[in-house]
C-alpha cells in the first residue's frame, strides 16, 4: 500500500496490526500472485501460510523456487526460520 503525504509518498514495508480487513487484502494479494499454482493444486494459500505439496522432491524444489521468485518480484518476504 502506498499513501500520499505532504512530505511525499509513503510506502509501508510491513503490514500494520489492527487494520480492518487486512487479512482479506493479504489473502487476495497472495491468491493473485499464485493463482495458476493454486489452480493446478501445487500451492495452497491458507490464512498467512503458503503450502507446497508434491509427490516428488525434484518437483517440490522447483515449485518452492517459483514461490520465492514470485514473492521477491512482488516485494514480499518470508522468515526462513518459520519455513519448514
Amino acid at each position: 500500500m502506498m499513501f500520499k503525504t505532504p512530505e511525499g509518498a509513503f510506502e509501508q514495508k510491513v503490514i500494520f496490526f489492527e487494520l480492518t480487513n487486512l487479512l482479506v487484502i493479504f489473502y487476495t494479494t497472495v491468491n493473485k500472485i499464485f493463482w495458476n499454482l493454486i489452480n493446478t493444486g501445487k500451492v495452497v494459500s491458507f490464512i498467512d501460510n503458503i503450502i507446497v505439496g508434491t509427490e516428488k522432491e525434484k518437483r517440490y524444489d522447483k515449485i518452492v523456487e517459483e514461490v520465492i521468485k514470485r514473492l521477491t518480484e512482488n516485494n514480499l518476504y518470508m522468515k526462513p526460520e518459520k519455513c519448514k
Side-chain angles (χ1 to χ4, degrees), residues 1 15-29:
M1 249 185 249
I15 296 174
F16 298 129
F17 289 102
E18 299 182 16
L19 290 178
T20 305
N21 297 323
L22 194 56
L23 187 57
V24 173
I25 293 168
F26 176 77
Y27 194 70
T28 302
T29 302

Side-chain angles (χ1 to χ4, degrees), residues 1-39:
M1 249 185 249
M2 186 177 286
F3 303 97
K4 187 176 179 182
T5 68
E7 288 82 31
F10 170 74
E11 183 176 6
Q12 66 189 60
K13 300 294 181 188
V14 296
I15 296 174
F16 298 129
F17 289 102
E18 299 182 16
L19 290 178
T20 305
N21 297 323
L22 194 56
L23 187 57
V24 173
I25 293 168
F26 176 77
Y27 194 70
T28 302
T29 302
V30 168
N31 283 340
K32 285 181 182 178
I33 293 170
F34 298 108
W35 69 271
N36 64 330
L37 293 176
I38 292 170
N39 286 342

Side-chain angles (χ1 to χ4, degrees), residues 47-64:
I47 305 177
D48 64 346
N49 298 300
I50 299 170
I51 303 165
V52 177
T54 62
E55 293 179 12
K56 297 184 180 180
E57 188 174 342
K58 190 172 184 179
R59 287 180 45 199
Y60 175 82
D61 291 342
K62 287 185 178 190
I63 295 170
V64 170

